Amino acid sequence: MSVLDRDSAALLAQSVAIYAGRPAGSPEDHLAALHEQGWLAAALPEASGGMGFGVDAAAIIAGGLARGQIGEPFTATFLAARVLGLAAPGSDSAKALADAGVLSALAFDEAGAAPVLANADGVLTGTKRRVAGAEAAARLIVTATRDTQPVLVELDATAPGVDARHARRIDGGALTEISFDGAKGTIIASGDIVPQALRQALAETGLVIAAELLAHCDSLRELTLEHLRTRRQFGQSLGGFQALQHKAVDMYLGALLSRSVLDHAITKAAEDLSADDLDRLAFRARARLNDTAMQHVRLSMQLLGAFGTTDESPLGPHIKRVVRLCGWLGTSAQYRARYAALGRVATRNQDRKVTT
Amino acid sequence: MTDTHPSSGSNPDPDTDWNALPEAEFRAHLRRFIDENCPQHLRYVRRRLPPADTLPWYHALAAAGLIAPGWPRIHGGMELSPGRHLVFIEEMDAAGTPWLHDSGVRNLGLAIIAHGTDAQKQRYLPAIHAGDQIWCQGYSEPGAGSDLASLRCAGEIDGDRLTINGQKIWTTSGQHANHMFMLLRTERGTTAHRGITFALVDMATPGITVRPIYNLNDEADFCEVFFDDVTISTDCILGQPHDGWNVARSVLGFERIWAGSPRRARHALGELEAIVAQSGLSGDAVWQDRLVQAEFDTLDAQDLYRTFAELITSDGQVGTEVSALKIFSTETFQRISEWTLEAAGAEGALATDLDSDARSAQPLYTFFESRAPTIFSGTNEIHRNILARRALGLGREDKA
Ligand SMILES: Cc1cc2nc3c(=O)[nH]c(=O)nc-3n(C[C@H](O)[C@H](O)[C@H](O)COP(=O)(O)OP(=O)(O)OC[C@H]3O[C@@H](n4cnc5c(N)ncnc54)[C@H](O)[C@@H]3O)c2cc1C
C-alpha cells in the first residue's frame, strides 16, 4: 500500500473535483468513468491490476465525489476491494473489478440472522443483512464459516439460490438482505486472514466514510453561510445576528476539529499499526465525524428556516446522505462502546497518575 | 542575590538545538533534570506557591538554560518549536513541578525582544531570566474587560516623566510581582486603539496599592492594583508612546495557541477516571460511555493542537482560526470537570483541601478551576465573535 505525496494528493483531489463538478450522467456513465479513472480499483494491489493506493487516496476520492453527491458506489466498493486486496488478491472478483469495473459487494453483517455456512465446495446457506452496494454489484463477496473455519466466498449475484431483497434508503441506495439457499460460490480465502482482513477493511472504510461526511459538512456549511450572508430580516442580513454567528462558528469549529482528527488518523493509518490501534483511530474519527455531520444537519436546517425542511433546498441531498453514512458500520454510540471494549489509552501512560 | 546564581546567557551550551534532539532523549533529559533539581516538597502542590518558595527551582531551570522555552537562544532561551514546547510542558506537568510566577518569561520577554531598545533588553531580559524580576500583567480594568481598548487607567507624559493614575484588576500574581507591564490611556479622543501606551512599571514605585482577590477555590490568584500619582521615567515605555496596542498584540501568537493547549483537559480526564472508579461507577454503561466521550474529546483536542502547532510560523504567528482551539479545549475541560463533579455525587460538595497532594482528585476544585479558561485570554464568546467576522466573514454585509 503506497502513501501519496503532497503533490500527488493535490493532483488526485483536483481531478476528482473536476469530475464531480460536471453535471451528473447516468449511473452507467458514472460507473464507467470511475473505472476509467482507475478509482474503483485503486485500493487493489498493483499485482491484481489496481493502483495499490491506501486509505489516504480513498479518502480524497470519496470526499471529492461526495461534494458532487455521487459517493456511491465508490465507498461500498472500497470496502469490498479492500477485503479482496488483503485476503484474496488473486480472486476472479478482484480481477473483474480491476479489468472491467465489475462491481463487488461485501456481505459480512448477519445482525441476528441465520449465520452463513459454507461447505467444502463453497455452497452457501444462511442470511446476510445490511449489504451495501448490492443493487449495482454483479459479484458478491461473502464471509462464512466452514466447519469452524472462517472463509471468504465469491459468487455471482444472480447465481441460483441467491435471494436479494433491497430496502430503499433515503439517499437512493439500498440496504440489502441476501439469503443463500444452496448457492454455489468459490472459497477464495480461509483461516485467520479472513477476520483480519475484514477488521482492517472495516476500520479503513470507517475513515473513508468519515472523509465523505467531512465533505458533506463542508457543503452544508457553505450553503448555510451563503444563506446567512444573503437572507435579510429585520432590515439586516441574518449574518449580523450574533446568536446566528455563534451557531455558524460552532459548525466551523466542528469541521476544523473533524478535519484535524481525520487527517491525523489517515496519516497514522498508513503506519504499521496494531489492529487495536487502527481500530481506536478509526472509531474515534468516526464518532467525531458522525457527531459533526449531525450537528451540521441540525444547524443548517434551523438556520435556513422553513426552506431547510423542504426537499427543494440544496441541503437535501447532503442531509440524506449524512443520515445514511452516520449509521453505516456504526453509530457514534456503537463506536464508543467498541472503543471501551478495546480499552481506553489516553491516561495509560500518564506519569502523573491521579490517585484517590 | 544575583551573584548566588548564574544569570542570563549562562545556558551551559547555548548551541544546544533542543528541537533537533530526538523526542525521547529530550524527555529523558528533562526527567533527569527535574529529578535532580526539583525538590519533593514543591511537587504536586495544588496551590500556587509564592515566588519565595519556588525561586530555587526557578534558578535551577535558569542555570540549566531551561527557563525560557519560547525565547531565542541568543537571549538564553530554548527556542522550542511549538510541538516541542508542548512536550516540555507535558514533562513539567507530569512530574508535578510547581506553577512559576513566570509571566515575564511567558508574556513579556518576547515583546521586549521584538520592541525593546537595546538598553531595555539589557535591563530587563537578564533579570527576567534570572528570576530577579517577577512580572504581572496589568491590562484589565473594572470598566474594561472584553472591550479592553476602552481602558482608562491614565498615563500622562510630561517630558521624560510618565505619571499613572487609575486602577487595574484581575492581575494574576499582583501581590507577588515586583514589576508590572501595563496598558495606559495616554491620549484621549483618538480612535480606541490609538493612544494606548505599553509601560514597564516597578511595583516599588510610591503610590501603588495592591489588594488580593480570592476566588471560589479560596486562592488569592489575582489582585486589584491602584495607582495614585505613580511617576516613572519614559524609559519604561515599550515601543512607541501611544502605540501600546500593537505592542501588546504582537505577543499574542504563542499565547493564543498556549491558551488552547489540551493539558488541562488531559489532567481532568485522569481525575474523571479516578472518581468514576472511586464512586463504584466503573461498570456502569453511562459512565463507561462518558469516559470514552471524554477521552475522544481530549485526544481530538490534542490532534487539533498538533495541527496548529505545525502551522505556527517560526516568528510565532498563527492565523485567527486558532481561536477554535482555545474554544474547544477549554470547553472540553469544563465538560469533563462537570462529569467528574457529578460522578462524585454528594461527596462532590466537600470543601477542597488545598494542601492535599495535587495528584489526588478534587472534583470541586477542578470544577471551579475550569471556569476561568473560558474567560481569560479572551472569553470564548469574544473568540466566537472573532471567528464569525474574520474566518466566516459574517456581519460585514451591512457595513459594506
Ligand atoms: C483567572 C483569571 C486570571 C486573569 N489574569 C489577568 C491578568 O493577569 N491580567 C489582566 O489584565 N487580566 C486578567 N484577567 C482578566 C481577563 O482578561 C478578563 O476577565 C477578560 O478579558 C473578560 O473581561 P471581564 O471579566 O470584564 O468580562 P466582560 O467583558 O464584562 O464579559 C462578561 C460576559 O459578557 C460576554 N461578552 C462581553 N462582550 C461581549 C460581546 N461583544 N459579545 C458577546 N459576549 C460578550 C463575555 O464573554 C462574558 O461572558 C484574568 C481573568 C481570570 C478569570
Side-chain angles (χ1 to χ4, degrees):
Chain A
M1 192 172 93
S2 67
V3 178
L4 298 181
D5 59 41
R6 197 180 281 268
D7 289 344
S8 322
L11 267 176
L12 178 60
Q14 198 183 18
S15 44
V16 182
I18 291 170
Y19 173 69
R22 289 205 291 249
S26 69
E28 293 74 28
D29 291 347
H30 177 45
L31 197 59
L34 291 180
H35 172 59
E36 206 171 293
Q37 299 276 10
W39 296 337
L40 274 183
L44 286 174
E46 284 175 83
S48 319
M51 292 180 171
F53 282 174
V55 66
D56 55 337
I60 291 171
I61 298 168
L65 296 175
R67 288 225 129 207
Q69 300 153 27
I70 44 175
E72 292 277 13
F74 176 79
T75 304
T77 306
F78 175 82
L79 175 60
R82 201 67 186 114
V83 169
L84 288 173
L86 291 166
S91 59
D92 287 350
S93 300
K95 266 186 86 61
L97 176 62
D99 296 348
V102 174
L103 296 182
S104 281
L106 180 73
F108 70 93
D109 192 352
E110 285 167 0
V116 175
L117 304 175
N119 73 10
D121 299 326
V123 174
L124 300 177
T125 54
T127 299
K128 293 285 184 185
R129 291 188 167 151
R130 305 166 178 164
V131 181
E135 272 182 319
R139 314 273 302 167
L140 296 174
I141 313 300
V142 187
T143 57
T145 307
R146 192 192 124 205
D147 300 332
T148 54
Q149 277 269 63
V151 293
L152 196 63
V153 174
E154 65 178 0
L155 74 170
D156 270 344
T158 53
V162 175
D163 176 28
R165 293 172 301 279
H166 307 292
R168 184 80 18 232
R169 291 192 324 243
I170 184 82
D171 65 330
L175 281 188
T176 304
E177 183 169 306
I178 306 177
S179 295
F180 302 96
D181 184 12
K184 170 84 177 83
T186 308
I187 294 177
I188 51 176
S190 61
D192 288 345
I193 187 152
V194 176
Q196 281 163 8
L198 179 64
R199 183 176 179 186
Q200 184 176 341
L202 287 173
E204 291 179 355
T205 307
L207 293 174
V208 176
I209 292 171
E212 249 202 82
L213 283 167
L214 184 62
H216 289 294
C217 287
D218 289 343
S219 297
L220 288 169
R221 197 174 60 263
E222 282 160 22
L223 291 165
T224 306
L225 288 172
E226 185 55 27
H227 185 76
L228 292 180
R229 291 189 192 109
T230 50
R231 166 86 172 158
R232 296 178 68 83
Q233 286 291 282
F234 299 99
Q236 66 171 92
S237 67
L238 293 180
F241 293 107
Q242 192 183 53
L244 306 188
Q245 289 181 353
H246 285 198
K247 287 199 160 75
V249 166
D250 284 340
M251 295 171 86
Y252 168 79
L253 215 152
L256 208 63
L257 180 68
S258 297
R259 173 165 302 111
S260 167
V261 168
L262 182 59
D263 283 352
H264 280 99
I266 286 173
T267 305
K268 284 237 146 203
E271 294 168 13
D272 208 9
L273 294 179
S274 70
D276 279 4
D277 282 341
L278 178 62
D279 273 351
R280 284 194 183 92
L281 278 174
F283 295 175
R284 176 159 66 88
R286 266 306 295 280
R288 173 60 58 198
L289 264 299
N290 282 357
D291 292 350
T292 302
M294 285 311 286
Q295 172 215 35
H296 274 63
V297 166
R298 213 163 48 233
L299 290 175
S300 63
M301 289 180 73
Q302 178 68 18
L303 298 190
L304 260 71
F307 186 43
T309 68
T310 66
D311 204 19
E312 291 168 17
S313 99
L315 302 178
H318 295 290
I319 291 173
K320 291 173 180 176
R321 183 68 179 162
V322 165
V323 170
R324 150 62 176 160
L325 294 173
C326 281
W328 190 12
L329 306 186
T331 62
S332 293
Q334 286 169 333
Y335 276 120
R336 287 196 299 270
R338 290 174 201 164
Y339 188 95
L342 283 176
R344 288 177 295 104
V345 290
T347 51
R348 191 194 279 170
N349 296 322
Q350 233 173 357
D351 288 351
R352 183 182 174 169
K353 204 74 190 128
V354 175
T355 58
T356 52
Chain B
M1 202 170 162
T2 21
D3 47 10
T4 60
H5 58 82
S7 61
S8 170
S10 67
N11 183 345
D13 180 3
D15 292 329
T16 308
D17 184 349
W18 299 104
N19 297 318
L21 221 56
E23 186 180 314
E25 230 171 276
F26 181 62
R27 285 186 190 270
H29 176 80
L30 292 176
R31 280 180 203 181
R32 208 173 325 113
F33 179 80
I34 296 167
D35 274 354
E36 289 166 7
N37 293 280
C38 188
Q40 284 306 323
H41 72 274
L42 295 182
R43 306 278 201 97
Y44 303 107
V45 180
R46 193 172 301 278
R47 286 179 195 282
R48 291 185 177 177
L49 297 167
D53 293 359
T54 53
L55 265 178
W57 165 235
Y58 191 112
H59 291 154
L61 285 166
L66 299 174
I67 194 64
W71 289 14
R73 279 186 271 162
I74 46 162
H75 293 294
M78 299 173 77
E79 217 169 306
L80 295 186
S81 66
R84 265 303 146 90
H85 205 149
L86 182 65
V87 170
F88 180 89
I89 291 158
E90 265 174 26
E91 289 299 328
M92 290 292 161
D93 278 357
T97 64
W99 192 84
L100 295 172
H101 300 263
D102 59 351
S103 181
V105 171
R106 277 186 293 115
N107 300 313
L108 179 62
L110 292 175
I112 292 180
I113 290 165
H115 300 277
T117 61
D118 286 342
Q120 285 172 331
K121 287 179 193 163
Q122 290 279 317
R123 183 162 158 207
Y124 297 114
L125 293 178
I128 293 173
H129 194 280
D132 296 338
Q133 290 181 358
I134 310 280
W135 287 83
C136 60
Q137 169 178 309
Y139 288 4
S140 305
E141 298 177 9
S146 298
D147 184 12
L148 183 59
S150 70
L151 63 92
R152 289 166 50 185
C153 186
E156 206 179 296
I157 300 174
D158 183 9
D160 60 358
R161 315 305 300 163
L162 169 63
T163 302
I164 305 167
N165 277 292
Q167 185 192 344
K168 292 293 173 181
I169 195 167
W170 316 127
T171 317
T172 300
S173 304
Q175 72 276 49
H176 300 299
N178 50 29
H179 284 75
M180 174 190 278
F181 58 97
M182 65 189 305
L183 294 176
L184 295 168
R185 169 72 51 204
T186 45
E187 262 181 0
R188 283 170 200 284
T190 48
T191 62
H193 293 174
R194 270 296 294 177
I196 289 174
T197 295
F198 195 111
L200 307 168
V201 180
D202 184 337
M203 301 276 279
T205 319
I208 299 179
T209 313
V210 178
R211 184 185 77 88
I213 303 173
Y214 284 79
N215 65 21
L216 284 167
N217 274 329
D218 203 28
E219 300 165 303
D221 278 348
F222 44 32
C223 300
E224 341 181 56
V225 184
F226 301 90
F227 296 81
D228 187 11
D229 278 331
V230 175
T231 302
I232 60 173
S233 157
T234 49
D235 290 349
C236 299
I237 294 175
L238 186 62
Q240 293 302 308
H242 317 308
D243 191 36
W245 190 260
N246 288 325
V247 176
R249 267 173 53 117
S250 69
V251 291
L252 283 181
F254 185 73
E255 183 65 17
R256 281 161 71 211
I257 193 162
W258 162 245
S261 152
R263 68 192 185 286
R264 296 188 186 94
R266 232 183 120 84
H267 185 246
L269 177 63
E271 215 170 39
L272 175 63
E273 195 172 54
I275 290 292
V276 164
Q278 181 185 295
S279 310
L281 298 169
S282 299
D284 183 303
V286 169
W287 287 97
Q288 272 305 329
D289 189 55
R290 282 186 172 178
L291 277 168
V292 176
Q293 280 187 49
E295 173 151 335
F296 279 7
D297 285 350
T298 304
L299 293 175
D300 288 0
Q302 237 159 268
D303 283 347
L304 190 62
Y305 183 90
R306 284 201 195 99
T307 299
F308 280 110
E310 285 157 16
L311 283 180
I312 197 170
T313 55
S314 50
D315 61 346
Q317 295 308 305
V318 313
T320 15
E321 322 84 76
V322 75
S323 289
L325 176 65
K326 197 259 179 181
I327 296 172
F328 185 70
S329 289
T330 56
E331 291 177 4
T332 295
F333 179 35
Q334 290 196 337
R335 197 160 44 246
I336 296 176
S337 80
E338 286 154 26
W339 284 341
T340 310
L341 189 60
E342 191 183 345
E347 276 77 11
L350 289 175
T352 302
D353 175 7
L354 276 180
D355 293 318
S356 66
D357 186 308
R359 280 169 296 188
S360 68
Q362 297 273 1
L364 189 56
Y365 181 89
T366 308
F367 174 78
F368 285 138
E369 186 189 31
S370 70
R371 300 303 109 182
T374 55
I375 297 170
F376 62 58
S377 298
T379 71
N380 284 18
E381 288 76 20
I382 294 300
H383 281 283
R384 281 187 167 84
N385 290 348
I386 293 172
L387 287 172
R389 254 196 334 273
R390 304 220 196 116
L392 305 182
L394 292 178
R396 289 175 160 174
E397 306 79 6
D398 298 309
K399 274 144 214 143

